[in-house]
Amino acid sequence: QVQLQESGPGLVKPSQTLSLTCTVSGGSISSGSYYWSWIRQPAGKGLEWIGRIYTSGSTNYNPSLKSRVTISVDTSKNQFSLKLSSVTAADTAVYYCARAKIFYDYVWGSYRVDAFDIWGQGTMVTVSS
Amino acid sequence: DIQMTQSPSTLSASVGDRVTITCRASQSISSWLAWYQQKPGKAPKLLIYKASSLESGVPSRFSGSGSGTEFTLTISSLQPDDFATYYCQQYNSYSGITFGPGTKVDIK
């Protein structure tokens, strides 16, 4: 049974870079069948997708965060990571990692990425001096 | 960007009630819509994908319908474990994923 676990500092100073890692257990991140995403949720608010990565290193980012986000993968450690630069208090949130399956859409003749079927438990990150 | 809206934002209901939540997309997303349930302090849980497909292990009292821009999540008979916040999410666009603002289902 695949499980995801986020880790990283719970407190980051304004203007610095937030760095988190998601460790995948019970399955290989290199299987090629999934995209791996980061999603965040400020306290009492909704969910915001940050971006995703494929095992090859191919990425897609939320346009609103693209200039500050880098997602990378380390297949040797079965992990993927998030870096968010120039953080402010607005980046304070619970950060989740999640998995989405890739499937072939026979109607449109292309590959698609499905919904998020497995999530980590989340890690709280506070931006404060 | 595809924007998602949900209504109502809060819904008060009793055990045994039939509950319906609506999600609308700012442009057609075909059937590429998912529904999640989230309880306080927990990660979201996938309930429905591709608008109407029930995720494995999810009770059959949950159902989804719709296509294009309008979608619904229905709980046929609300159970005590169902009091939570529900989010819709579109995944039509390869370049972006967006969630609805959420609907909180609380006890009447």
Side-chain angles (χ1 to χ4, degrees):
Chain A
Q1 180 179 351
V2 174
Q3 293 184 313
L4 307 181
Q5 178 69 58
E6 305 89 349
S7 60
L11 181 64
V12 181
K13 288 182 166 52
S15 80
Q16 294 191 344
T17 297
L18 178 161
S19 296
L20 296 174
T21 295
C22 181
T23 300
V24 180
S25 60
S28 173
I29 202 171
S30 302
S31 73
S33 301
Y34 302 97
Y35 261 90
W36 306 91
S37 279
W38 287 98
I39 297 151
R40 70 180 182 180
Q41 184 174 37
K45 297 190 177 180
L47 299 158
E48 180 179 37
W49 176 72
I50 299 170
R52 66 188 176 197
I53 191 164
Y54 184 62
T55 186
S56 65
S58 173
T59 55
N60 300 110
Y61 297 133
N62 185 325
S64 69
L65 297 169
K66 188 174 183 177
S67 64
R68 299 194 291 131
V69 174
T70 302
I71 297 176
S72 59
V73 64
D74 186 337
T75 54
S76 67
K77 294 182 179 178
N78 227 28
Q79 296 175 334
F80 64 106
S81 298
L82 167 70
K83 289 189 186 299
L84 181 65
S85 64
S86 305
V87 297
T88 69
D91 295 309
T92 294
V94 175
Y95 286 75
Y96 295 101
C97 55
R99 182 187 86 166
K101 187 171 57 180
I102 300 167
F103 66 97
Y104 191 74
D105 181 351
Y106 287 94
V107 173
W108 291 98
S110 63
Y111 284 95
R112 283 191 173 271
V113 185
D114 214 333
F116 300 113
D117 63 342
I118 296 178
W119 295 63
Q121 65 184 28
T123 187
M124 179 69 201
V125 178
T126 301
V127 178
S128 175
S129 55
Chain B
D1 273 17
I2 299 175
Q3 309 299 320
M4 308 299 291
T5 60
Q6 286 182 236
S7 60
S9 55
T10 305
L11 188 161
S12 296
S14 302
V15 172
D17 284 353
R18 182 181 181 88
V19 166
T20 298
I21 299 169
T22 298
C23 176
R24 290 185 175 87
S26 59
Q27 62 189 73
S28 177
I29 57 170
S30 185
S31 296
W32 306 116
L33 184 104
W35 289 97
Y36 299 86
Q37 176 194 67
Q38 187 179 35
K39 296 181 179 179
K42 300 293 187 182
K45 173 188 173 183
L46 178 63
L47 300 175
I48 302 285
Y49 62 96
K50 204 178 177 184
S52 60
S53 296
L54 192 67
E55 175 70 351
S56 176
V58 173
S60 58
R61 62 181 180 273
F62 291 93
S63 64
S65 64
S67 66
T69 60
E70 188 156 333
F71 303 85
T72 58
L73 172 70
T74 299
I75 309 172
S76 60
S77 177
L78 198 66
Q79 299 302 301
D81 191 47
D82 301 337
F83 291 99
T85 299
Y86 294 84
Y87 293 93
C88 62
Q89 173 227 332
Q90 69 81 17
Y91 52 102
N92 177 67
S93 171
Y94 210 85
S95 61
I97 290 167
T98 45
F99 291 88
T103 295
K104 183 178 181 180
V105 177
D106 63 20
I107 301 172
K108 192 172 186 179

